[in-house]
Amino acid sequence: MYQSILREQLELLKSSNQYRTFTTLSRICGQYPLAKLNGERQEPVVVWCSNDYLGMSQHPTVRQHMHQALETYGAGSGGSRNIGGSHELYERLEASLADWHGKEAALVFPTGYGSNDATLQCLLRQIPNCVVVSDALNHASIISGIRATPNERQVFRHNDVEHLEQILSAYPLAQPKLVVFESIYSMDGDIAPIVEIVEVAKRFNALTYLDEVHAVGMYGPRGAGVAAELGIADQIDIIQGTMAKAIGVIGGYIASTRVVVDAVRSFATGFIFTTSLPPAVTAGCLASVEHLKASDNERLRLQHNTALLRERLKQQDIPVMPCSQTHVLPVLVGEAERCRAAAQRLLHTHGVYLQPINYPSVPVGTERFRVNATPNHSQAQIDHLALSIRETFEHFAIPLASQAFASEVA
Protein backbone atom coordinates (compact mmCIF):
# COMPACT_ATOMS: atom_id res chain seq x y z
CA MET A 1 0.00 0.00 0.00
CA TYR A 2 2.69 2.49 1.01
CA GLN A 3 4.76 1.78 -2.08
CA SER A 4 1.77 2.34 -4.35
CA ILE A 5 0.88 5.63 -2.62
CA LEU A 6 4.40 6.96 -3.10
CA ARG A 7 4.61 5.61 -6.66
CA GLU A 8 1.39 7.44 -7.51
CA GLN A 9 2.77 10.67 -6.10
CA LEU A 10 5.94 10.26 -8.15
CA GLU A 11 3.93 9.66 -11.32
CA LEU A 12 1.95 12.85 -10.66
CA LEU A 13 5.23 14.70 -10.25
CA LYS A 14 6.52 13.33 -13.55
CA SER A 15 3.30 14.09 -15.44
CA SER A 16 3.45 17.72 -14.31
CA ASN A 17 7.11 18.06 -15.40
CA GLN A 18 8.20 18.72 -11.80
CA TYR A 19 10.20 15.49 -11.43
CA ARG A 20 13.87 16.29 -10.91
CA THR A 21 16.73 14.27 -12.35
CA PHE A 22 20.42 14.55 -11.52
CA THR A 23 23.13 15.16 -14.08
CA THR A 24 26.28 13.49 -12.78
CA LEU A 25 29.11 15.96 -13.26
CA SER A 26 32.62 15.48 -11.91
CA ARG A 27 34.30 18.85 -11.69
CA ILE A 28 37.98 18.87 -12.65
CA CYS A 29 40.10 20.37 -9.89
CA GLY A 30 41.97 23.43 -11.09
CA GLN A 31 40.04 23.56 -14.38
CA TYR A 32 36.68 24.99 -13.23
CA PRO A 33 34.25 25.56 -14.97
CA LEU A 34 35.10 22.30 -16.76
CA ALA A 35 33.55 19.03 -15.61
CA LYS A 36 33.39 15.43 -16.81
CA LEU A 37 29.97 14.13 -17.79
CA ASN A 38 29.58 10.70 -16.24
CA GLY A 39 30.16 7.88 -18.72
CA GLU A 40 28.76 9.61 -21.80
CA ARG A 41 31.21 12.15 -23.16
CA GLN A 42 34.97 12.12 -23.38
CA GLU A 43 35.40 15.88 -23.71
CA PRO A 44 34.65 18.02 -20.62
CA VAL A 45 31.51 20.13 -20.53
CA VAL A 46 31.36 23.76 -19.43
CA VAL A 47 29.27 24.46 -16.33
CA TRP A 48 27.16 27.63 -16.58
CA CYS A 49 24.82 27.42 -13.60
CA SER A 50 26.96 26.69 -10.56
CA ASN A 51 26.59 28.60 -7.31
CA ASP A 52 30.39 28.55 -7.04
CA TYR A 53 30.14 32.13 -8.25
CA LEU A 54 33.78 33.13 -7.80
CA GLY A 55 35.43 29.75 -8.33
CA MET A 56 36.74 29.80 -4.76
CA SER A 57 36.25 26.04 -4.42
CA GLN A 58 39.28 25.72 -6.70
CA HIS A 59 41.42 28.43 -5.12
CA PRO A 60 44.88 27.12 -4.14
CA THR A 61 44.84 28.88 -0.75
CA VAL A 62 41.46 27.37 0.17
CA ARG A 63 42.55 23.88 -0.85
CA GLN A 64 45.88 24.25 0.98
CA HIS A 65 44.20 25.24 4.25
CA MET A 66 41.74 22.37 3.96
CA HIS A 67 44.57 19.88 3.45
CA GLN A 68 46.47 21.28 6.43
CA ALA A 69 43.43 21.08 8.69
CA LEU A 70 42.71 17.52 7.62
CA GLU A 71 46.23 16.46 8.57
CA THR A 72 46.13 18.45 11.82
CA TYR A 73 42.67 17.55 13.15
CA GLY A 74 41.43 14.54 11.19
CA ALA A 75 38.26 14.20 9.12
CA GLY A 76 35.25 14.86 11.34
CA SER A 77 34.40 17.34 14.07
CA GLY A 78 33.46 14.67 16.58
CA GLY A 79 30.06 16.00 17.61
CA SER A 80 27.73 18.94 17.98
CA ARG A 81 29.04 22.33 19.03
CA ASN A 82 27.84 21.61 22.57
CA ILE A 83 29.49 18.20 22.77
CA GLY A 84 33.04 18.15 21.49
CA GLY A 85 32.49 19.82 18.11
CA SER A 86 33.71 23.36 18.83
CA HIS A 87 37.24 23.08 17.48
CA GLU A 88 39.47 26.16 17.50
CA LEU A 89 38.82 27.07 13.86
CA TYR A 90 35.18 27.83 14.67
CA GLU A 91 36.08 30.74 16.92
CA ARG A 92 38.26 32.25 14.21
CA LEU A 93 35.66 31.76 11.48
CA GLU A 94 32.83 33.28 13.50
CA ALA A 95 34.99 36.26 14.48
CA SER A 96 35.91 36.75 10.83
CA LEU A 97 32.27 36.64 9.69
CA ALA A 98 31.19 39.08 12.40
CA ASP A 99 33.95 41.47 11.34
CA TRP A 100 32.93 41.08 7.68
CA HIS A 101 29.43 42.33 8.39
CA GLY A 102 30.32 44.81 11.13
CA LYS A 103 28.38 42.87 13.75
CA GLU A 104 29.18 41.93 17.33
CA ALA A 105 28.96 38.18 16.80
CA ALA A 106 28.27 35.42 14.30
CA LEU A 107 27.16 31.79 14.47
CA VAL A 108 28.00 29.06 11.94
CA PHE A 109 25.64 26.26 10.86
CA PRO A 110 26.33 23.20 8.69
CA THR A 111 24.25 24.64 5.81
CA GLY A 112 22.69 27.89 4.68
CA TYR A 113 19.29 26.21 4.61
CA GLY A 114 19.75 25.20 8.22
CA SER A 115 20.80 28.68 9.34
CA ASN A 116 17.60 30.20 7.96
CA ASP A 117 15.33 27.41 9.13
CA ALA A 118 16.74 27.13 12.66
CA THR A 119 17.19 30.85 13.30
CA LEU A 120 13.72 31.87 12.19
CA GLN A 121 12.09 29.08 14.17
CA CYS A 122 14.07 30.10 17.22
CA LEU A 123 13.30 33.83 17.01
CA LEU A 124 9.59 33.28 16.42
CA ARG A 125 9.34 30.86 19.34
CA GLN A 126 11.34 32.99 21.74
CA ILE A 127 9.75 36.38 21.01
CA PRO A 128 6.17 36.23 22.32
CA ASN A 129 3.36 37.22 19.95
CA CYS A 130 5.79 38.07 17.15
CA VAL A 131 4.24 38.63 13.71
CA VAL A 132 6.49 37.61 10.81
CA VAL A 133 6.21 39.45 7.50
CA SER A 134 7.93 37.71 4.58
CA ASP A 135 8.61 38.63 0.95
CA ALA A 136 6.55 36.54 -1.48
CA LEU A 137 9.65 35.18 -3.25
CA ASN A 138 11.69 34.24 -0.19
CA HIS A 139 13.66 31.01 -0.30
CA ALA A 140 12.22 27.65 0.75
CA SER A 141 14.45 27.60 3.85
CA ILE A 142 12.88 30.84 5.05
CA ILE A 143 9.39 29.54 4.37
CA SER A 144 10.19 26.31 6.21
CA GLY A 145 11.40 28.14 9.30
CA ILE A 146 8.34 30.37 9.38
CA ARG A 147 5.82 27.58 8.79
CA ALA A 148 7.30 25.49 11.59
CA THR A 149 5.93 27.92 14.17
CA PRO A 150 2.35 28.88 15.09
CA ASN A 151 3.13 32.61 14.81
CA GLU A 152 0.90 34.87 12.80
CA ARG A 153 2.47 35.42 9.40
CA GLN A 154 1.90 37.79 6.52
CA VAL A 155 3.36 37.81 3.01
CA PHE A 156 4.06 41.06 1.20
CA ARG A 157 4.18 41.26 -2.59
CA HIS A 158 7.69 40.83 -3.94
CA ASN A 159 9.78 43.95 -3.32
CA ASP A 160 6.58 45.97 -2.75
CA VAL A 161 7.42 48.44 0.01
CA GLU A 162 3.95 50.01 0.01
CA HIS A 163 2.35 46.62 0.61
CA LEU A 164 4.82 45.94 3.42
CA GLU A 165 3.89 49.28 4.98
CA GLN A 166 0.18 48.48 4.76
CA ILE A 167 0.72 45.17 6.57
CA LEU A 168 2.91 46.60 9.35
CA SER A 169 0.62 49.57 9.95
CA ALA A 170 -2.22 47.22 10.87
CA TYR A 171 -0.44 46.11 14.07
CA PRO A 172 0.19 48.02 17.30
CA LEU A 173 3.59 49.67 17.42
CA ALA A 174 4.51 47.72 20.56
CA GLN A 175 3.68 44.31 19.06
CA PRO A 176 6.84 42.41 18.06
CA LYS A 177 7.35 42.11 14.30
CA LEU A 178 9.98 40.49 12.11
CA VAL A 179 10.48 41.46 8.44
CA VAL A 180 12.29 38.81 6.40
CA PHE A 181 13.66 39.41 2.91
CA GLU A 182 16.61 38.73 0.62
CA SER A 183 19.05 41.13 -1.00
CA ILE A 184 19.37 39.25 -4.32
CA TYR A 185 16.73 36.80 -5.51
CA SER A 186 18.41 33.94 -7.30
CA MET A 187 15.74 33.03 -9.85
CA ASP A 188 15.16 36.55 -11.18
CA GLY A 189 18.53 38.14 -10.40
CA ASP A 190 16.84 41.24 -9.00
CA ILE A 191 17.77 43.33 -5.95
CA ALA A 192 15.45 44.23 -3.09
CA PRO A 193 14.81 47.90 -2.21
CA ILE A 194 16.74 47.37 1.01
CA VAL A 195 16.95 51.00 2.10
CA GLU A 196 13.20 51.49 1.78
CA ILE A 197 12.34 48.19 3.46
CA VAL A 198 14.58 48.97 6.42
CA GLU A 199 13.12 52.46 6.78
CA VAL A 200 9.56 51.13 6.87
CA ALA A 201 10.48 48.30 9.23
CA LYS A 202 12.16 50.65 11.69
CA ARG A 203 9.25 53.08 11.55
CA PHE A 204 6.92 50.32 12.67
CA ASN A 205 9.31 48.90 15.30
CA ALA A 206 10.09 45.68 13.41
CA LEU A 207 13.25 43.60 13.44
CA THR A 208 14.91 43.13 10.03
CA TYR A 209 16.28 39.79 8.84
CA LEU A 210 18.23 39.94 5.57
CA ASP A 211 19.30 36.87 3.58
CA GLU A 212 22.47 37.82 1.63
CA VAL A 213 23.39 34.35 0.35
CA HIS A 214 23.58 35.40 -3.32
CA ALA A 215 25.47 38.60 -2.51
CA VAL A 216 28.20 37.88 0.05
CA GLY A 217 31.63 37.76 -1.53
CA MET A 218 30.53 39.57 -4.68
CA TYR A 219 29.09 42.95 -3.72
CA GLY A 220 30.01 45.74 -1.35
CA PRO A 221 33.29 46.73 0.31
CA ARG A 222 35.37 43.61 1.02
CA GLY A 223 32.52 41.61 -0.53
CA ALA A 224 30.34 42.05 2.55
CA GLY A 225 27.09 42.16 0.56
CA VAL A 226 24.52 44.53 -0.87
CA ALA A 227 23.59 46.06 2.50
CA ALA A 228 27.25 46.97 3.01
CA GLU A 229 27.40 48.38 -0.53
CA LEU A 230 24.45 50.62 0.35
CA GLY A 231 26.05 51.60 3.66
CA ILE A 232 23.19 50.30 5.83
CA ALA A 233 24.47 46.93 7.10
CA ASP A 234 24.57 48.44 10.59
CA GLN A 235 20.81 49.02 10.38
CA ILE A 236 20.04 45.38 9.59
CA ASP A 237 19.34 43.47 12.79
CA ILE A 238 20.25 39.98 11.49
CA ILE A 239 22.26 39.19 8.37
CA GLN A 240 22.22 35.61 7.14
CA GLY A 241 24.70 34.21 4.64
CA THR A 242 26.12 31.05 3.18
CA MET A 243 29.59 29.67 2.57
CA ALA A 244 28.41 27.36 -0.22
CA LYS A 245 28.20 29.95 -2.99
CA ALA A 246 30.76 32.73 -3.52
CA ILE A 247 32.84 31.41 -0.62
CA GLY A 248 32.97 28.09 -2.44
CA VAL A 249 32.73 25.52 0.37
CA ILE A 250 29.62 24.79 2.52
CA GLY A 251 27.93 26.09 5.64
CA GLY A 252 25.60 28.89 6.71
CA TYR A 253 25.76 31.63 9.30
CA ILE A 254 24.03 34.54 10.95
CA ALA A 255 25.63 37.78 12.14
CA SER A 256 23.99 40.07 14.68
CA THR A 257 24.29 41.38 18.21
CA ARG A 258 25.80 39.19 20.91
CA VAL A 259 22.39 38.80 22.54
CA VAL A 260 20.64 37.63 19.37
CA VAL A 261 23.45 35.24 18.45
CA ASP A 262 23.59 33.85 22.00
CA ALA A 263 19.82 33.32 22.01
CA VAL A 264 19.97 31.37 18.74
CA ARG A 265 22.97 29.40 19.99
CA SER A 266 21.13 28.56 23.20
CA PHE A 267 17.59 27.87 21.93
CA ALA A 268 17.67 26.86 18.24
CA THR A 269 17.11 23.11 18.08
CA GLY A 270 18.38 23.02 14.49
CA PHE A 271 21.71 24.30 15.77
CA ILE A 272 21.95 22.47 19.10
CA PHE A 273 21.17 18.98 17.85
CA THR A 274 23.33 18.74 14.75
CA THR A 275 26.96 17.80 14.16
CA SER A 276 29.27 20.74 13.51
CA LEU A 277 31.23 21.31 10.32
CA PRO A 278 34.46 19.28 10.06
CA PRO A 279 37.71 21.17 10.71
CA ALA A 280 38.87 20.92 7.09
CA VAL A 281 35.61 22.51 5.87
CA THR A 282 35.80 25.25 8.49
CA ALA A 283 39.42 25.96 7.54
CA GLY A 284 38.44 26.24 3.88
CA CYS A 285 35.63 28.65 4.71
CA LEU A 286 37.91 30.81 6.84
CA ALA A 287 40.64 30.93 4.17
CA SER A 288 38.10 31.89 1.50
CA VAL A 289 36.42 34.61 3.58
CA GLU A 290 39.76 36.14 4.53
CA HIS A 291 40.89 36.10 0.91
CA LEU A 292 37.68 37.73 -0.35
CA LYS A 293 37.93 40.45 2.29
CA ALA A 294 41.35 41.41 0.94
CA SER A 295 41.01 40.75 -2.80
CA ASP A 296 38.84 42.57 -5.34
CA ASN A 297 40.29 40.56 -8.21
CA GLU A 298 37.60 37.87 -8.30
CA ARG A 299 34.77 40.41 -7.98
CA LEU A 300 36.13 42.61 -10.79
CA ARG A 301 36.57 39.64 -13.12
CA LEU A 302 33.04 38.46 -12.31
CA GLN A 303 31.64 41.90 -13.17
CA HIS A 304 33.61 42.00 -16.41
CA ASN A 305 32.51 38.53 -17.51
CA THR A 306 28.90 39.18 -16.54
CA ALA A 307 28.83 42.34 -18.65
CA LEU A 308 30.42 40.51 -21.57
CA LEU A 309 27.96 37.63 -21.27
CA ARG A 310 25.01 40.05 -21.21
CA GLU A 311 26.31 41.71 -24.37
CA ARG A 312 26.87 38.42 -26.21
CA LEU A 313 23.40 37.13 -25.29
CA LYS A 314 21.88 40.42 -26.43
CA GLN A 315 23.73 40.17 -29.76
CA GLN A 316 22.23 36.70 -30.27
CA ASP A 317 18.72 37.94 -29.36
CA ILE A 318 18.61 35.60 -26.34
CA PRO A 319 15.73 36.53 -23.99
CA VAL A 320 17.44 37.50 -20.74
CA MET A 321 14.58 38.45 -18.42
CA PRO A 322 14.62 42.22 -17.77
CA CYS A 323 14.21 41.74 -14.00
CA SER A 324 17.90 40.78 -13.75
CA GLN A 325 20.17 43.41 -12.20
CA THR A 326 23.00 41.15 -11.03
CA HIS A 327 25.32 38.31 -12.00
CA VAL A 328 22.30 35.98 -12.29
CA LEU A 329 20.95 36.05 -15.86
CA PRO A 330 17.59 34.24 -16.20
CA VAL A 331 17.03 33.16 -19.82
CA LEU A 332 13.33 32.70 -20.55
CA VAL A 333 12.19 29.48 -22.21
CA GLY A 334 8.58 29.48 -21.07
CA GLU A 335 7.57 25.84 -21.25
CA ALA A 336 8.72 22.94 -19.09
CA GLU A 337 9.15 20.19 -21.68
CA ARG A 338 11.03 22.42 -24.12
CA CYS A 339 13.19 23.70 -21.28
CA ARG A 340 14.19 20.15 -20.41
CA ALA A 341 14.75 19.19 -24.06
CA ALA A 342 16.80 22.32 -24.68
CA ALA A 343 19.00 21.53 -21.67
CA GLN A 344 19.67 18.05 -23.07
CA ARG A 345 20.62 19.43 -26.49
CA LEU A 346 22.91 22.04 -24.96
CA LEU A 347 24.63 19.34 -22.94
CA HIS A 348 25.02 16.58 -25.51
CA THR A 349 25.40 18.64 -28.70
CA HIS A 350 27.24 21.72 -27.46
CA GLY A 351 28.96 20.58 -24.26
CA VAL A 352 27.13 23.23 -22.22
CA TYR A 353 25.58 22.37 -18.86
CA LEU A 354 22.53 24.41 -17.88
CA GLN A 355 19.91 23.02 -15.52
CA PRO A 356 16.27 23.60 -16.53
CA ILE A 357 14.41 25.61 -13.89
CA ASN A 358 10.73 24.63 -13.80
CA TYR A 359 7.76 24.96 -11.45
CA PRO A 360 7.63 25.12 -8.42
CA SER A 361 10.98 26.92 -8.39
CA VAL A 362 9.49 29.45 -10.82
CA PRO A 363 5.89 30.11 -11.94
CA VAL A 364 4.42 28.04 -14.78
CA GLY A 365 5.05 29.82 -18.06
CA THR A 366 8.35 31.33 -16.89
CA GLU A 367 10.49 28.18 -17.12
CA ARG A 368 14.06 29.26 -17.68
CA PHE A 369 17.78 28.69 -17.58
CA ARG A 370 19.57 30.41 -14.72
CA VAL A 371 22.87 31.44 -16.29
CA ASN A 372 25.84 32.97 -14.55
CA ALA A 373 29.39 33.66 -15.61
CA THR A 374 32.28 33.31 -13.18
CA PRO A 375 35.79 34.83 -13.11
CA ASN A 376 37.01 31.49 -14.51
CA HIS A 377 35.01 31.51 -17.76
CA SER A 378 36.99 32.56 -20.83
CA GLN A 379 35.80 34.89 -23.58
CA ALA A 380 35.80 31.94 -25.97
CA GLN A 381 33.51 30.01 -23.61
CA ILE A 382 31.18 33.01 -23.32
CA ASP A 383 31.01 33.34 -27.11
CA HIS A 384 30.37 29.61 -27.46
CA LEU A 385 27.55 29.70 -24.91
CA ALA A 386 25.70 32.51 -26.70
CA LEU A 387 25.95 30.75 -30.06
CA SER A 388 24.92 27.41 -28.54
CA ILE A 389 21.82 28.87 -26.89
CA ARG A 390 20.85 30.62 -30.15
CA GLU A 391 21.15 27.37 -32.12
CA THR A 392 19.18 25.47 -29.49
CA PHE A 393 16.41 28.07 -29.36
CA GLU A 394 16.10 27.96 -33.15
CA HIS A 395 16.09 24.14 -33.14
CA PHE A 396 13.13 24.02 -30.73
CA ALA A 397 11.42 27.19 -32.02
CA ILE A 398 11.76 28.83 -28.61
CA PRO A 399 10.92 32.55 -28.89
CA LEU A 400 13.92 34.86 -29.05
CA ALA A 401 13.99 38.17 -27.19
CA SER A 402 12.58 40.14 -30.13
CA GLN A 403 9.56 37.83 -30.04
CA ALA A 404 9.26 37.03 -26.32
CA PHE A 405 9.45 40.67 -25.20
CA ALA A 406 7.80 42.29 -28.22
CA SER A 407 4.55 43.02 -26.35
CA GLU A 408 6.47 44.61 -23.46
CA VAL A 409 8.37 46.88 -25.84
CA ALA A 410 5.17 47.83 -27.67
Side-chain angles (χ1 to χ4, degrees):
M1 177 179 75
Y2 302 109
Q3 297 293 320
S4 62
I5 291 171
L6 295 174
R7 191 176 293 112
E8 181 180 342
Q9 294 298 318
L10 286 169
E11 290 304 319
L12 285 172
L13 199 66
K14 291 176 181 178
S15 66
S16 65
N17 288 305
Q18 296 179 46
Y19 184 74
R20 299 170 191 263
T21 57
F22 295 154
T23 300
T24 303
L25 292 167
S26 298
R27 299 206 296 168
I28 305 169
C29 186
Q31 297 184 46
Y32 177 74
L34 298 183
K36 284 285 189 179
L37 185 62
N38 191 40
E40 297 181 37
R41 184 186 177 98
Q42 293 302 310
E43 290 298 314
V45 300
V46 183
V47 178
W48 278 102
C49 54
S50 171
N51 283 338
D52 189 6
Y53 292 136
L54 296 177
M56 290 302 296
S57 69
Q58 312 289 306
H59 198 283
T61 300
V62 174
R63 287 155 45 198
Q64 177 188 355
H65 279 79
M66 292 185 77
H67 279 294
Q68 289 175 347
L70 182 64
E71 294 304 316
T72 301
Y73 303 103
S77 71
S80 67
R81 291 290 297 278
N82 290 323
I83 307 176
S86 287
H87 46 82
E88 62 177 314
L89 292 169
Y90 259 109
E91 184 177 348
R92 292 167 58 192
L93 176 58
E94 288 171 343
S96 180
L97 291 168
D99 167 75
W100 207 15
H101 294 290
K103 299 298 183 186
E104 293 178 352
L107 190 68
V108 168
F109 295 73
T111 68
Y113 189 106
S115 57
N116 268 334
D117 186 54
T119 300
L120 288 168
Q121 284 193 50
C122 174
L123 292 173
L124 294 174
R125 286 172 176 159
Q126 296 302 316
I127 302 174
N129 200 30
C130 185
V131 178
V132 58
V133 188
S134 177
D135 186 283
L137 294 189
N138 275 340
H139 190 262
S141 57
I142 293 173
I143 296 169
S144 175
I146 291 171
R147 285 181 175 174
T149 71
N151 294 63
E152 183 178 354
R153 51 186 179 266
Q154 300 280 352
V155 176
F156 67 97
R157 290 186 294 270
H158 178 55
N159 285 347
D160 190 330
V161 180
E162 288 185 6
H163 190 214
L164 172 63
E165 184 172 5
Q166 289 172 14
I167 292 171
L168 291 174
S169 65
Y171 294 92
L173 194 64
Q175 182 167 0
K177 308 168 201 73
L178 176 64
V179 176
V180 186
F181 61 111
E182 302 179 33
S183 58
I184 294 175
Y185 289 83
S186 66
M187 292 301 150
D188 289 345
D190 58 333
I191 301 174
I194 300 175
V195 172
E196 293 83 356
I197 289 175
V198 170
E199 188 278 323
V200 169
K202 295 304 178 188
R203 185 150 36 95
F204 291 99
N205 193 31
L207 281 172
T208 48
Y209 183 105
L210 177 63
D211 178 319
E212 289 252 45
V213 298
H214 293 280
V216 290
M218 295 170 289
Y219 299 90
R222 301 193 303 164
V226 178
E229 185 172 64
L230 296 170
I232 60 165
D234 61 325
Q235 298 178 48
I236 307 291
D237 295 299
I238 301 141
I239 293 176
Q240 184 267 351
T242 184
M243 295 174 288
K245 294 181 170 59
I247 295 170
V249 194
I250 194 171
Y253 65 88
I254 60 165
S256 186
T257 64
R258 289 188 181 88
V259 171
V260 169
V261 169
D262 196 24
V264 175
R265 182 191 69 84
S266 300
F267 296 112
T269 55
F271 172 80
I272 295 169
F273 298 104
T274 192
T275 301
S276 65
L277 288 176
V281 171
T282 313
C285 292
L286 177 60
S288 183
V289 170
E290 287 297 306
H291 175 84
L292 291 174
K293 284 181 179 180
S295 171
D296 285 327
N297 181 47
E298 290 80 11
R299 287 187 281 279
L300 292 173
R301 281 164 42 215
L302 172 68
Q303 292 163 13
H304 174 270
N305 281 354
T306 298
L308 180 61
L309 177 58
R310 277 188 185 276
E311 181 60 29
R312 292 294 186 267
L313 293 176
K314 182 179 180 181
Q315 289 171 355
Q316 293 299 324
D317 201 22
I318 304 302
V320 176
M321 297 170 69
C323 52
S324 173
Q325 304 167 264
T326 61
H327 62 286
V328 177
L329 308 185
V331 171
L332 180 66
V333 177
E335 199 276 319
E337 289 187 18
R338 280 198 295 184
C339 196
R340 196 179 307 278
Q344 287 299 305
R345 183 171 182 82
L346 284 167
L347 185 63
H348 297 291
T349 301
H350 298 289
V352 165
Y353 173 61
L354 280 170
Q355 184 67 24
I357 307 294
N358 296 332
Y359 180 85
S361 296
V362 296
V364 172
T366 68
E367 291 82 2
R368 69 196 67 172
F369 295 126
R370 178 182 171 278
V371 187
N372 54 277
T374 72
N376 304 66
H377 285 94
S378 67
Q379 181 172 331
Q381 288 169 337
I382 291 171
D383 293 341
H384 176 256
L385 173 69
L387 291 169
S388 299
I389 295 178
R390 175 64 184 249
E391 188 280 333
T392 301
F393 270 48
E394 290 178 342
H395 180 84
F396 290 106
I398 298 169
L400 296 168
S402 54
Q403 302 163 289
F405 303 141
S407 59
E408 294 183 21
V409 173

